[in-house]
Amino acid sequence: MPGISREEVAHLAKLARLELKDEELDHFAGQLDDIIGAVAAVSDVAEEDVPPTSHPLPLTNVMRQDEVRPSLTPQQALSGAPAQEQQRFKVPQILGEEA
């Protein structure tokens, strides 16, 4: 597999809107070539019966039951607000648009 060229790095930098110097193009070309080589090495080792994973260990998300619990009333929640309107916090308009 041919290595990544300076021109390809310059093209990627342009797409990413990065301004790179000539010595940086050479430096990053070598680094990107090493990264592509490492990914290719992993692809060569991977067996077809091994599914692709995003993490080496199984992850599970622990979720609690969604149940109604006692909470503040709208009046209690708004009791310290400097301004309120229709049971909501009233804040200064920032976009200049009518809601």
Side-chain angles (χ1 to χ4, degrees):
M1 174 173 82
I4 189 165
S5 68
R6 295 179 84 247
E7 292 76 26
E8 290 171 316
V9 174
H11 180 68
L12 289 172
K14 182 180 176 185
L15 292 174
R17 296 184 178 155
L18 298 173
E19 187 176 330
L20 298 178
K21 298 175 186 160
D22 286 339
E23 60 271 5
E24 291 175 319
L25 290 174
D26 292 329
H27 180 73
F28 290 136
Q31 286 185 338
L32 287 171
D33 196 40
D34 290 343
I35 292 168
I36 291 170
V39 170
V42 170
S43 297
D44 291 341
V45 173
E47 295 290 328
E48 289 190 24
D49 61 337
V50 178
T53 60
S54 62
H55 198 275
L57 302 173
L59 299 175
T60 53
N61 198 2
V62 179
M63 305 281 279
R64 65 173 173 81
Q65 290 294 327
D66 189 15
E67 55 189 45
V68 178
R69 294 183 180 178
S71 61
L72 297 176
T73 66
Q75 293 79 18
Q76 291 170 323
L78 294 169
S79 66
Q84 53 182 296
E85 185 176 284
Q86 298 178 351
Q87 290 190 341
R88 297 185 182 120
F89 292 98
K90 185 175 181 180
V91 296
Q93 187 174 341
I94 59 169
L95 298 177
E97 300 175 0
E98 289 295 321

